[in-house]
């Protein structure tokens, strides 16, 4: 049977796929999703290690445990980065990849969230102190989301425009709120640091996995969010397709 593994984004969980996607996938497909350590219902990593390299190895171990040799991968945001990294490292394990809004170069993320410049600088100065400080900030944000669900829209104001925030339904907002509340601040802090260090541009130039790169039309128009355009410019043309979801 054809099997798809869905990989969630930063601060997300498998809940979004189980609720919003799985019910609409044909029965001929086997859909699987799991929570990365520190997100959703998964405990924090025992080694306190988090980030794209670590999560990439978790995907491999997950497939090994289930006895799956080759798989289709769909990744949302950070999950898209992990899918592309996995395809670069273990091409023999992947049939095809779909990546949506996937960061491929950490410096591009700073264009979207300028406030992270200070975090990146502090990471270079003293990583331990920087991570601790970020966890405290995130803990405060989690409290704000707990008492005011729509506070999430303010947190992501650099990504979601006014029109998009108006069409976010209550079900989607509730899923995002629960995901954000369940995410461990340390896991988020370490993963953000990993994303800022991430650079898969070289690997994409010699990529061998057929890939569908997709995103919303609004994301394409925003500086720093045009990851789809950037990815397509690097992937071999005969292996890649682009799709922008109309609004």
């Amino acid at each position: 049977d054809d099997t798809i593994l869905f990989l969630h984004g930063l601060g997300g969980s498998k809940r979004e796929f189980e609720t919003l996607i799985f019910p609409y996938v044909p029965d001929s497909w086997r859909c699987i999703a799991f929570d990365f350590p520190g997100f959703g219902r998964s405990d924090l990593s025992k080694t306190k290690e988090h980030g794209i390299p670590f999560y990439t190895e978790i995907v491999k171990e997950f497939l090994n445990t289930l006895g799956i040799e080759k798989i289709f991968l769909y990744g949302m945001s950070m999950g898209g980065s992990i899918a592309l990294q996995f395809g670069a490292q273990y091409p023999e394990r992947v049939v095809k990849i779909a990546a949506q809004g996937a960061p491929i170069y950490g410096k591009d993320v700073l264009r979207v969230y300028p406030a992270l410049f200070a975090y990146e600088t502090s990471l270079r100065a003293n990583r331990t102190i920087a991570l601790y400080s970020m966890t405290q900030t995130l803990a405060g944000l989690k409290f704000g989301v707990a008492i005011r669900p729509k506070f999430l829209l303010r947190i992501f104001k650099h990504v979601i425009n006014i029109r998009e925030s108006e069409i976010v339904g209550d079900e989607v907002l509730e899923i995002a709120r629960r995901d954000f509340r369940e995410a461990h601040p340390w896991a988020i802090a370490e993963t953000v640091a990993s994303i800022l260090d991430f650079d898969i541009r070289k690997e994409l130039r010699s990529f061998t996995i057929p890939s569908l790169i997709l995103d919303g039309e609004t994301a394409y128009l925003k500086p720093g969010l045009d990851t789809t355009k950037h990815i397509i410019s690097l992937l071999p043309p005969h292996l890649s397709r682009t799709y922008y979801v109309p609004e």
Side-chain angles (χ1 to χ4, degrees):
D1 293 338
D2 290 327
T3 303
I4 309 176
L5 175 60
F6 290 78
L7 306 175
H8 67 75
L10 179 66
S13 79
K14 62 183 176 64
R15 181 183 294 114
E16 56 204 52
F17 302 126
E18 292 174 334
T19 305
L20 303 175
I21 295 182
F22 285 11
Y24 305 99
V25 178
D27 293 337
S28 58
W29 288 88
R30 179 189 183 194
C31 297
I32 305 174
F34 67 88
D35 296 328
F36 286 108
F39 299 97
R41 297 184 179 180
S42 290
D43 294 331
L44 198 67
S45 167
K46 292 181 179 179
T47 61
K48 278 197 171 183
E49 183 179 3
H50 299 85
I52 293 175
F54 179 60
Y55 297 152
T56 300
E57 294 306 309
I58 284 181
V59 171
K60 184 183 74 169
E61 294 305 316
F62 182 80
L63 296 179
N64 290 345
T65 299
L66 294 183
I68 298 174
E69 291 299 321
K70 296 193 73 170
I71 197 161
F72 291 83
L73 288 177
Y74 170 89
M76 165 71 78
S77 189
M78 175 195 77
S81 303
I82 297 168
L84 293 172
Q85 182 66 51
F86 187 85
Q89 289 185 216
Y90 307 107
E92 72 283 358
R93 305 293 300 271
V94 184
V95 183
K96 294 181 179 180
I97 289 174
Q100 180 173 351
I104 61 169
Y105 181 46
K107 302 302 181 185
D108 287 341
V109 178
L110 295 175
R111 297 171 58 195
V112 183
Y113 291 103
L116 289 178
F117 273 112
Y119 184 45
E120 183 191 42
T121 301
S122 61
L123 282 168
R124 291 197 299 267
N126 191 312
R127 185 180 180 86
T128 301
I129 292 177
L131 288 170
Y132 178 78
S133 177
M134 177 62 86
T135 58
Q136 299 306 302
T137 299
L138 290 166
L141 293 177
K142 282 163 65 71
F143 177 76
V145 170
I147 60 176
R148 292 182 58 194
K150 290 193 176 182
F151 184 58
L152 264 180
L153 299 179
R154 292 183 58 190
I155 295 175
F156 295 108
K157 65 182 179 180
H158 295 291
V159 179
I160 302 177
N161 62 28
I162 296 176
R163 181 185 173 194
E164 290 170 325
S165 66
E166 291 175 346
I167 64 175
V168 172
D170 292 339
E171 182 182 29
V172 174
L173 185 59
E174 176 59 19
I175 291 172
R177 184 185 68 84
R178 291 179 63 185
D179 285 349
F180 192 76
R181 288 188 63 189
E182 291 175 356
H184 196 286
W186 182 269
I188 297 178
E190 273 224 319
T191 302
V192 170
S194 168
I195 292 173
L196 293 178
D197 288 336
F198 189 56
D199 186 356
I200 195 176
R201 293 174 299 172
K202 179 179 178 181
E203 289 81 354
L204 291 180
R205 291 188 177 95
S206 57
F207 215 59
T208 60
I209 308 298
S211 302
L212 172 64
I213 311 301
L214 61 156
D215 215 329
E217 287 180 333
T218 301
Y220 173 64
L221 297 175
K222 288 186 177 181
L225 289 181
D226 53 353
T227 60
T228 297
K229 183 179 178 182
H230 194 180
I231 294 171
I232 289 297
S233 72
L234 298 172
L235 287 172
H238 66 288
L239 289 176
S240 60
R241 290 180 55 199
T242 308
Y243 180 72
Y244 291 107
V245 180
E247 297 183 7

